[in-house]
Amino acid sequence: MPARFVAKNPALAPLFAAVGFAIAGSGWFAFNVLKNDPVVVLNKQGEQDPWNQVKQHQNTKASNISLRPPKLLLYSPNSGFWQERVGLPDPRAAFLSSEGSASQRAKDKVKEIKARGVGNREH
């Protein structure tokens, strides 16, 4: 059907070719980004949130990414900043501690405050 339409209107052939090329190119580009971009995570078996494994002193700012050979060049205008952070406690430690979740501790604190009657005014 489209071949007959283009045969009747040959002036539209470059348009169909350009649109077809654009669709194929955009599909290839999207697949290439999903496959090769280090920011995109499409891993259903491994670590679902690898960004939680970043340490306090680990620089993740990439200035140049070359995929062949696989090499990640890191850059920071203040390189001393990362060295000063060695040994700092992880700010997520409060949420990752084994003493209970942060939300459970918050709920317990709310119950404690309500039990004391703080904030309750009787008119």
Side-chain angles (χ1 to χ4, degrees):
M1 186 75 147
R4 252 190 301 162
F5 180 73
V6 173
K8 287 182 183 180
N9 303 303
L12 294 178
L15 177 66
F16 277 91
V19 169
F21 181 75
I23 290 171
S26 64
W28 172 84
F29 180 76
F31 175 75
N32 189 33
V33 167
L34 288 174
K35 183 177 165 239
N36 296 327
D37 193 4
V39 176
V40 178
V41 179
L42 295 176
N43 183 3
K44 294 187 186 270
Q45 283 82 26
E47 181 71 36
Q48 293 296 316
D49 47 3
W51 48 86
N52 282 335
Q53 305 305 322
V54 176
K55 304 294 182 224
Q56 284 293 302
H57 62 279
Q58 186 177 356
N59 182 5
T60 59
K61 298 179 188 306
S63 65
N64 183 16
I65 299 173
S66 72
L67 298 174
R68 290 177 187 91
K71 187 175 183 182
L72 183 64
L73 302 174
L74 298 177
Y75 168 78
S76 175
N78 186 3
S79 60
F81 172 78
W82 301 105
Q83 288 146 1
E84 292 170 2
R85 295 179 65 84
V86 173
L88 286 178
D90 190 353
R92 298 169 296 192
F95 302 105
L96 301 173
S97 69
S98 60
E99 300 170 1
S101 68
S103 62
Q104 185 59 43
R105 289 194 306 265
K107 289 177 187 176
D108 293 342
K109 187 68 172 178
V110 168
K111 286 180 186 176
E112 176 188 332
I113 291 172
K114 285 183 178 179
R116 285 189 286 166
V118 175
N120 293 336
R121 294 185 182 180
E122 295 180 13
H123 295 286

